[in-house]
Amino acid sequence: MSPFLWRMGGALALGVLGLTLVFWQLEHASLYAFAGLGRPSAAVYALLFTGLVLVNVSVFYMLTRWSRFLREHPETRQLPPWFLVGLIVLSGAVLVTGIAVHAGYLRSLDPLPMTISQGFVAFEVSFAALILVPLVLLAVRWSTGYRNA
């Protein structure tokens, strides 16, 4: 496997780790809010910020590497923009609907469990990644700064 694929895979793994931290901590904070326990500890917000930093570093690295790869290999075929935009819209709609349904379900529970739903966090991370990856591909395609720099 080429070093480029290893680096892109590592950046994707770092982004997924960051998304996991973000959604895990958001779930933690929402459980506290729904239970009326006030704010969670500062560690929750520190981990949330760490996750955001990891996602941003990962996306910036992927933007830079993918644009450099396309400049070096201009014959590389890419997915059509209509497909990428459709994937972003569909994934975004599923993610927003899932979050709304989950919040409604949590509000309907009388004894609110304070355990974080690992399956729901995995769902959120999967669909957020399905939004971010096509956004990276579209950003490189449509941004002349990344293509021609």
Side-chain angles (χ1 to χ4, degrees), residues 14 29 67 69 80 85 87 103-105 123:
L14 185 68
S67 65
F69 179 82
V85 170
L87 186 60
Y105 169 72
F123 163 80

Side-chain angles (χ1 to χ4, degrees), residues 53-99:
V53 168
L54 291 176
V55 169
N56 285 323
V57 165
S58 171
V59 167
F60 181 73
Y61 181 78
M62 283 192 267
L63 280 169
T64 306
R65 293 299 303 168
W66 183 243
S67 65
R68 192 174 302 152
F69 179 82
L70 288 179
R71 278 191 310 255
E72 293 170 1
H73 303 91
E75 74 283 349
T76 301
R77 294 187 54 177
Q78 300 181 57
L79 291 170
W82 63 265
F83 178 78
L84 296 173
V85 170
L87 186 60
I88 292 168
V89 169
L90 182 64
S91 299
V94 169
L95 181 62
V96 169
T97 303
I99 290 172

Side-chain angles (χ1 to χ4, degrees), residues 22-55:
V22 166
F23 285 117
W24 191 276
Q25 299 313 319
L26 286 175
E27 181 77 6
H28 192 133
S30 68
L31 286 175
Y32 265 71
F34 289 158
L37 299 175
R39 292 185 179 186
S41 68
V44 170
Y45 295 110
L47 285 173
L48 178 67
F49 180 74
T50 303
L52 288 172
V53 168
L54 291 176
V55 169

